[in-house]
Amino acid sequence: MNYRKTLYTCMIFLFMGAPSVMSELFAQKKITMSGTVYDSVSGKPVDFGTVTIIEERVKARTEAQGRYRISVSKPGTYTVIVRSQGLGVLNTTMNINRDMARDFSLKPLTINVSGITVTDDKYFQKVSRRKMTREEMKATPASFGDAINALTSLPGIERTDGFFGPLVIRGMYDQHNRYYIDGMPISNPMHFGGLHAVINTNLMDEINLYSSSFPARFGGAMAAVIDISTVDNVKEEGGYVDTGLISTNILYQRPFTREVTQPDGEIKKETTGYIIASGRYGYLGFIIPYLYEKFTDKKSLVVPEYYDYQVKIKQYLDSHNSLTLLFIGSKDYFRFFTEDDTLDEEADPLLNDIEFEQNEMFHNLGLYYDYRGGRIKNRVMAYASLTQFDVYVNSNQISSSTPDWLEDLKSTSKPYIFGLKNIFDFEWIKNHADLKASVEYTYYRFEASGESVVQSRNNGGYTQMDDITTVPIDGSSKNHTVGGFIENRFTAGGLTFVPGLRSDYLKLTDTATFDPRGMISYEFSSDTTVSVASGKYSSFFQVNPYFFNYYPDVAQMDTKTTERAYHNVIGIEQVLGLYTLGIEGYYNHFENLAVGYPHYEDGEQVLGQASGKMKAYGFEVMLRKDMRENTSGFFGWMSYTYCVSKYKSGITGNIFDENGNDTGTAYDPNGDKWINSDFDRRHSVKLVLGYKYGKFTFSGKFQYLTAYPSTAIIGSTEDTNYPGRYTPVYDISNQNEYREASYHRLDLRISHKTSYEWGYVSWYVEVINVYNSAQKETNWKYNQPYSDSNPDTSDDEGLTIIPNFGVEIKF
């Protein structure tokens, strides 16, 4: 397939409908439009704004008191775009046939009732800034109507595995990302690590995606931050019901009101607060077995079940003060089992008659007190995040060849986190200087019981059943951190400068971090913005709940070494009417990463050390076309990402036997060598195109992705405990140097929306992976030794084409 030709064709298609501008042969008297641009909430004129007429390619800046003046060469119908920093963009079509006066009113982004805005910074940092409306998210195929799933259509954001899986952002491992919902940390942001977000899309007000170089207010994250804010404005009773192929979610909202007598005696209702309740129930446990057996003629071995809930209650105390209570929770239950007749004869025989269960749940509670008074804002926030993670593994074919860790393995981990924050915001020079600062305290109580598994040696990046051993994990730990940040946003004309500093202190190790961060950008009159951002990012792995679920002993490591990263980003963005072109380059370096390495120090077993390093660098190019509000037409974006992600464990020690003796064999022969990381995806091309026509929206998504790296198999050994079972030998000297063929996929979607007085009904039908493209995979046959035919490369035998449909009702 000629992908270069395909990309050229898609680019031409993207620009269909773009306005052409021709020079006039004869000079005509210009027609002038003038007026004032206002902030719709405060009613005051904007200080810095622009009015652009696309067809004429002219732009005027607002002057004192928000006044503007702009001219066109001849009467006609024109596309007018009005912008002002901190406010939403207004796209409208106007007939300009004579000199006229026209005022414009812009809404703040925080009161965007038409959709979700995905940005990189509430300070309007242009570096890595992404924007998607709720309408675009729901129109993006293969997202299952889910906001976080839709993010994978943006540059630099990938999945760990196929259709689902955690988000890998700019080549960094997902356990170094952090997710927040209204400022609360969420340890399990997506069901089963990547199926659905644990929060209803219609409850989201905005998502802030920070792919790197994020502001100082975020601590603990080293890779990326996904910050979700919930809806904070309920005007009337109503809700949503959204039913799809794999789940159903419901949202209900209602304002609190009271009757107020006006001076003229008229009685009016005044909103005093609101309540929003929502939840989702997934029925994959019924759907997956049916579809899997229908398309593969094999019995399904997987039984997943999940649900989530959210409740938000807000009470306004007066015009400046309010109290908010937020409950969020979810549960994921996953069972995998095999029987003698369910596995191919080529599969690992040790997996016959095995059972695996995983149960993960969390419950979060947040209490907020907010004060808003003119230029001063303050939030006091107390929260609790309670997570439980249970794992059970057992083999029913116990024999001398069965690894010990497969016999009735159980583990439970409970990372409980309690936090208190005070966040202060003071605009000390109006429209020119805004100071933000916080003081934070967090208490961590982690408990674990049972046994955990560890890898006894590095085997080319692969964990084989023979390389696993168990360690007891009974115990609990208590940790305390104190920290905060301070940053100031300075603006003058087109210049924006945001210096910041974050500091955190871990009591266990008596260690403090000091992380300077900053961003500077300049917006030219041509709507060209150049931005540079850089910063240091530190993390205490002792309080990382993602690590604790799998390696609970890290919570008690008393090393003063902290994981840290250095981010560097430069970008340029050009806006041309409804089109936006962005180019961004980045270089991120990570060091002192926690790595698993069971060894002995001073006669005591230690399961890990802080010696890992990573570096990720590359660039992203994105061309985007927006659509005018309430009109038909094309919208979409196309992007190309080049990303290099390298890793080295830093482990130079040897393997120790069960008695603590040094075997003399290196644990990781590549410990001091840079290798391709597991998520080194060099090239990624994504194209999302949509066309809205009346009540219908047609959309498609095409992806071309190079494969993640792997290690080639160069031999085999026969299992002495299980004759006839052959295990692969990997080419460790060339670890992660092999790649399967690149993968490409096309998803198509059609939706229809009918509006009524009481709401609307919207239905959609989509086909994921239209032409049944399959990822290539290396298959090892455990019943055969290494040969020219073992291993072989074949198409992934899982579900490759997925029909999906759903209905959303708003009332």
Side-chain angles (χ1 to χ4, degrees):
M1 183 176 181
N2 190 331
Y3 296 107
R4 180 177 298 175
K5 183 178 179 181
T6 301
L7 288 176
Y8 291 158
T9 303
C10 293
M11 186 177 296
I12 293 172
F13 180 60
L14 179 65
F15 276 94
M16 289 178 62
S20 61
V21 179
M22 299 184 64
S23 300
E24 295 291 334
L25 298 178
F26 302 98
Q28 300 182 16
K29 179 182 178 181
K30 292 184 178 293
I31 301 173
T32 300
M33 180 174 68
S34 60
T36 304
V37 181
Y38 292 96
D39 182 321
S40 65
V41 173
S42 67
K44 298 179 179 179
V46 302
D47 291 293
F48 304 100
T50 60
V51 178
T52 305
I53 298 179
I54 299 301
E55 290 79 1
E56 292 284 287
R57 294 190 180 275
V58 294
K59 180 172 67 173
R61 289 187 176 273
T62 58
E63 299 174 353
Q65 298 301 311
R67 298 286 300 172
Y68 76 91
R69 183 181 181 88
I70 195 167
S71 299
V72 298
S73 60
K74 63 181 180 179
T77 301
Y78 294 96
T79 302
V80 180
I81 299 179
V82 186
R83 303 172 185 267
S84 181
Q85 193 171 43
L87 300 174
V89 178
L90 174 63
N91 297 335
T92 187
T93 302
M94 297 179 57
N95 291 319
I96 305 177
N97 299 317
R98 55 182 175 79
D99 291 346
M100 61 187 295
R102 173 66 185 270
D103 294 340
F104 296 101
S105 182
L106 302 182
K107 296 178 180 180
L109 287 176
T110 55
I111 312 178
N112 181 5
V113 296
S114 64
I116 296 175
T117 300
V118 181
T119 64
D120 266 356
D121 197 352
K122 292 181 180 178
Y123 281 165
F124 307 100
Q125 172 179 315
K126 291 295 182 75
V127 175
S128 302
R129 182 183 180 188
R130 309 298 177 196
K131 182 175 68 174
M132 293 179 70
T133 66
R134 181 178 293 151
E135 188 176 50
E136 289 172 334
M137 286 184 175
K138 292 183 177 181
T140 301
S143 67
F144 292 94
D146 183 82
I148 295 183
N149 279 331
L151 295 179
T152 60
S153 64
L154 297 174
I157 306 174
E158 309 292 345
R159 294 284 199 187
T160 57
D161 184 27
F163 295 125
F164 307 113
L167 301 185
V168 175
I169 301 176
R170 290 186 170 172
M172 186 56 179
Y173 292 102
D174 62 282
Q175 62 263 33
H176 294 288
N177 296 334
R178 290 294 181 273
Y179 294 79
Y180 297 89
I181 298 179
D182 281 353
M184 287 193 298
I186 302 295
S187 59
N188 183 25
M190 301 190 73
H191 290 290
F192 300 112
L195 181 62
H196 274 305
V198 296
I199 180 173
N200 192 302
T201 298
N202 290 307
L203 180 59
M204 298 182 189
D205 181 62
E206 64 178 3
I207 301 177
N208 293 278
L209 169 65
Y210 307 81
S211 51
S212 58
S213 295
F214 39 87
R217 62 180 172 273
F218 295 106
M222 293 201 307
V225 168
I226 294 87
D227 184 30
I228 302 171
S229 300
T230 60
V231 169
D232 196 28
N233 184 27
V234 176
K235 295 182 178 180
E236 59 184 6
E237 184 178 11
Y240 298 84
V241 177
D242 189 350
T243 298
L245 180 64
I246 63 177
S247 69
T248 293
N249 62 77
I250 300 174
L251 181 143
Y252 172 77
Q253 60 186 25
R254 180 180 180 180
F256 302 141
T257 60
R258 67 179 180 182
E259 293 183 345
V260 179
T261 302
Q262 302 296 312
D264 59 1
E266 182 182 0
I267 298 177
K268 289 188 176 181
K269 286 187 176 181
E270 180 181 273
T271 300
T272 60
Y274 60 81
I275 181 172
I276 307 174
S278 59
R280 180 198 302 272
Y281 181 77
Y283 27 81
L284 274 174
F286 304 102
I287 301 297
I288 280 189
Y290 171 78
L291 292 179
Y292 189 85
E293 294 173 25
K294 181 75 172 177
F295 285 93
T296 66
D297 293 325
K298 295 181 181 181
K299 183 177 180 180
S300 174
L301 310 177
V302 178
V303 180
E305 300 174 6
Y306 66 100
Y307 67 80
D308 59 58
Y309 67 88
Q310 306 93 41
V311 178
K312 183 177 182 180
I313 305 172
K314 184 164 187 174
Q315 183 67 49
Y316 299 107
L317 304 179
D318 54 36
S319 60
H320 298 294
N321 301 274
S322 64
L323 288 174
T324 305
L325 194 62
L326 179 64
F327 299 91
I328 298 176
S330 78
K331 179 178 180 179
D332 296 343
Y333 172 76
F334 178 87
R335 180 170 178 253
F336 171 85
F337 64 94
T338 63
E339 298 173 350
D340 289 338
D341 60 344
T342 58
L343 291 179
D344 296 332
E345 61 179 9
E346 300 170 348
D348 192 338
L350 294 183
L351 289 177
N352 277 324
D353 208 8
I354 195 174
E355 182 178 4
F356 171 82
E357 291 184 42
Q358 178 177 304
N359 182 48
E360 184 171 8
M361 66 182 75
F362 81 87
H363 305 281
N364 273 37
L365 167 64
L367 177 63
Y368 308 81
Y369 166 71
D370 287 286
Y371 170 80
R372 294 175 179 269
R375 299 185 188 180
I376 296 178
K377 301 174 186 177
N378 194 80
R379 163 170 283 189
V380 179
M381 170 187 174
Y383 67 88
S385 178
L386 312 177
T387 303
Q388 181 168 327
F389 185 72
D390 303 304
V391 175
Y392 172 73
V393 181
N394 186 53
S395 174
N396 295 315
Q397 57 156 356
I398 302 300
S399 66
S400 59
S401 60
T402 304
D404 293 340
W405 68 272
L406 279 177
E407 300 179 22
D408 197 31
L409 174 70
K410 298 178 181 179
S411 69
T412 296
S413 61
K414 299 178 181 179
Y416 292 170
I417 303 174
F418 305 89
L420 182 65
K421 295 182 181 181
N422 188 90
I423 305 173
F424 176 74
D425 187 337
F426 175 41
E427 187 181 18
W428 55 284
I429 302 179
K430 187 178 180 180
N431 299 317
H432 293 287
D434 191 339
L435 175 69
K436 282 182 178 286
S438 78
V439 177
E440 307 170 14
Y441 167 75
T442 310
Y443 170 65
Y444 302 86
R445 180 176 177 84
F446 291 174
E447 297 180 357
S449 61
E451 292 182 309
S452 183
V453 296
V454 296
Q455 187 175 349
S456 61
R457 63 170 177 147
N458 175 42
N459 193 8
Y462 294 85
T463 301
Q464 297 201 55
M465 300 180 72
D466 313 73
D467 302 329
I468 296 176
T469 185
T470 61
V471 293
I473 57 173
D474 296 292
S476 64
S477 64
K478 300 177 182 179
N479 280 322
H480 306 261
T481 60
V482 178
F485 76 90
I486 182 170
E487 64 183 13
N488 202 110
R489 176 176 179 261
F490 298 97
T491 58
L495 179 67
T496 300
F497 176 45
V498 187
L501 174 68
R502 177 159 195 102
S503 180
D504 292 282
Y505 170 79
L506 179 65
K507 182 180 178 181
L508 174 69
T509 60
D510 190 26
T511 304
T513 63
F514 296 92
D515 297 341
R517 305 173 190 180
M519 188 278 298
I520 187 169
S521 66
Y522 190 84
E523 182 178 358
F524 297 88
S525 59
S526 60
D527 274 346
T528 305
T529 303
V530 178
S531 304
V532 177
S534 184
K536 178 187 175 187
Y537 304 84
S538 301
S539 177
F540 301 115
F541 53 79
Q542 294 92 337
V543 294
N544 186 331
Y546 305 94
F547 288 162
F548 183 78
N549 282 338
Y550 298 97
Y551 306 105
D553 63 296
V554 302
Q556 302 180 44
M557 294 178 64
D558 60 359
T559 175
K560 292 182 178 293
T561 303
T562 60
E563 296 182 304
R564 57 177 176 259
Y566 301 90
H567 294 186
N568 303 279
V569 185
I570 183 170
I572 182 171
E573 179 183 276
Q574 177 65 59
V575 178
L576 293 171
L578 297 177
Y579 295 85
T580 302
L581 174 65
I583 303 175
E584 186 170 322
Y586 60 91
Y587 183 93
N588 301 330
H589 178 77
F590 307 83
E591 59 189 29
N592 300 336
L593 302 180
V595 295
Y597 170 43
H599 62 287
Y600 285 80
E601 295 180 1
D602 299 326
E604 294 186 2
Q605 187 179 36
V606 179
L607 299 182
Q609 63 186 36
S611 60
K613 292 185 178 181
M614 282 194 72
K615 56 183 177 181
Y617 55 90
F619 64 89
E620 300 164 0
V621 181
M622 183 175 181
L623 175 64
R624 176 189 180 91
K625 181 183 185 295
D626 293 317
M627 183 176 62
R628 292 192 298 269
E629 294 183 44
N630 303 317
T631 62
S632 297
F634 289 96
F635 65 91
W637 56 91
M638 62 186 305
S639 68
Y640 169 74
T641 301
Y642 173 77
C643 178
V644 177
S645 178
K646 297 285 187 177
Y647 171 80
K648 64 178 176 180
S649 69
I651 300 174
T652 56
N654 296 328
I655 298 173
F656 288 76
D657 63 22
E658 59 185 9
N659 297 317
N661 299 315
D662 189 332
T663 65
T665 302
Y667 178 89
D668 183 1
N670 298 317
D672 202 31
K673 173 184 175 183
W674 286 108
I675 62 173
N676 294 325
S677 79
D678 295 336
F679 301 122
D680 177 83
R681 174 161 280 160
R682 293 295 171 90
H683 305 282
S684 172
V685 177
K686 299 177 183 180
L687 172 65
V688 177
L689 290 177
Y691 183 78
K692 186 176 180 181
Y693 181 75
K695 298 179 180 180
F696 287 91
T697 300
F698 307 90
S699 56
K701 179 174 71 174
F702 175 78
Q703 299 181 82
Y704 173 80
L705 311 171
T706 55
Y708 287 134
S710 59
T711 306
I713 298 174
I714 57 174
S716 64
T717 58
E718 185 173 9
D719 190 340
T720 56
N721 294 321
Y722 202 118
R725 175 180 181 262
Y726 297 88
T727 58
V729 174
Y730 293 92
D731 184 9
I732 298 181
S733 61
N734 293 294
Q735 184 174 341
N736 275 5
E737 291 293 332
Y738 175 76
R739 297 178 194 265
E740 296 286 2
S742 299
Y743 174 66
H744 48 86
R745 191 180 90 206
L746 175 66
D747 310 316
L748 295 177
R749 176 186 176 108
I750 179 174
S751 63
H752 180 275
K753 182 177 180 179
T754 304
S755 297
Y756 301 93
E757 292 183 359
W758 48 266
Y760 65 75
V761 176
S762 176
W763 57 262
Y764 68 88
V765 177
E766 66 181 2
V767 179
I768 303 173
N769 197 6
V770 172
Y771 51 83
N772 201 26
S773 177
Q775 297 187 63
K776 298 296 183 180
E777 63 178 6
T778 300
N779 299 308
W780 175 255
K781 306 177 184 67
Y782 281 86
N783 63 341
Q784 302 175 24
Y786 174 79
S787 65
D788 291 340
S789 60
N790 188 31
D792 63 11
T793 300
S794 62
D795 292 341
D796 186 347
E797 295 182 354
L799 292 175
T800 54
I801 182 170
I802 302 178
N804 187 33
F805 60 88
V807 178
E808 182 184 53
I809 301 173
K810 180 183 184 300
F811 57 90

